Amino acid sequence: MSDNNNNTLYTLQVYTENMAGMLNQITGVFTRRQINIESLNVSPSSIKGIHKYTITAFSDEETIKKVVKQIEKKIDVVKAHFYTSEDIFHVEVALFKLSTDKVMADPNISRAIRHSSARITEVNSTFCIAVCEGTTSDILALFHELRKTPECVLQFTRSGRIAVTRSCQEEVSKFLHERGEEI
């Protein structure tokens, strides 16, 4: 996926110790280089005491390499890597709050939800909640289809990208193992 400037969408995975202020330090690197973050997800990793930041941004390869090097210089950063979309498995999650009346009145809405492999997780007399997992384009396709029915979509939100590499283990695990640290 590329933006108007022929830049590539890169996914960075940054592993840090769980320290206050890390998010500000990491995003500061992007700010100084005037790179807009497209999505950001932070959660504990599979390694005790290590948090994983998954960040997407459009850039060129030379610049993104510099960003990764600058991030790795931060004292509480364990390791950072960048990937193209082909290098990883990735997904986003979206929540759609839909008008129950509109969903019940228009069979095309139910068809669109089923066609996108979304699922209804709650229904009441006012609204129903649909959850859709997939790529950005999958989620936005459903969103645009549902928006064809006026006043159907009451609320919409989607997560940032979450991703795992195509390798058997997280690269930070190999790095920590080589340093002799317990995983």
Side-chain angles (χ1 to χ4, degrees):
M1 177 185 279
S2 295
D3 71 354
N4 297 343
N5 299 327
N6 289 328
N7 285 330
T8 301
L9 181 66
Y10 286 98
T11 300
L12 283 75
Q13 291 184 337
V14 180
Y15 297 87
T16 72
E17 294 182 29
N18 186 15
M19 304 295 291
M22 285 307 304
L23 179 60
N24 189 39
Q25 290 183 47
I26 291 168
T27 58
V29 174
F30 288 87
T31 302
R32 283 189 294 283
R33 292 206 170 263
Q34 298 183 338
I35 299 172
N36 187 45
I37 292 174
E38 295 295 317
S39 72
L40 172 69
N41 182 291
V42 183
S43 64
S45 75
S46 59
I47 301 165
K48 184 179 178 184
I50 303 292
H51 271 58
K52 181 179 184 178
Y53 294 70
T54 304
I55 305 163
T56 60
F58 284 102
S59 185
D60 59 81
E61 186 173 359
E62 181 180 328
T63 302
I64 213 71
K65 283 179 180 179
K66 290 176 183 176
V67 166
V68 167
K69 283 182 183 178
Q70 285 181 310
I71 289 171
E72 281 192 319
K73 288 180 182 178
K74 304 295 179 191
I75 194 159
D76 294 314
V77 170
V78 176
K79 197 73 178 151
H81 297 278
F82 71 92
Y83 306 93
T84 62
S85 293
E86 295 78 32
D87 297 331
I88 56 174
F89 294 104
H90 58 90
V91 69
E92 293 181 14
V93 177
L95 295 175
F96 298 84
K97 183 186 273 187
L98 307 172
S99 164
T100 300
D101 289 343
K102 300 291 182 178
V103 171
M104 299 302 285
D106 187 347
N108 290 324
I109 295 171
S110 295
R111 252 185 247 116
I113 291 169
R114 282 192 311 277
H115 179 71
S116 68
S117 299
R119 63 190 185 285
I120 301 288
T121 60
E122 182 176 331
V123 178
N124 64 39
S125 60
T126 308
F127 63 85
C128 58
I129 305 293
V131 178
C132 182
E133 300 169 6
T135 63
T136 304
S137 58
D138 296 335
I139 290 168
L140 292 178
L142 177 58
F143 175 72
H144 294 303
E145 186 64 30
L146 295 172
R147 292 290 301 239
K148 289 179 182 177
T149 303
E151 300 175 11
C152 176
V153 179
L154 304 174
Q155 292 181 35
F156 167 72
T157 189
R158 63 187 174 101
S159 70
R161 176 180 280 190
I162 57 173
V164 293
T165 65
R166 293 188 181 270
S167 63
C168 292
Q169 65 179 349
E170 293 189 84
E171 294 194 30
V172 71
S173 299
K174 180 181 174 186
F175 173 77
L176 291 172
H177 182 72
E178 288 171 356
R179 282 188 11 187
E181 295 184 26
E182 189 175 317
I183 302 173

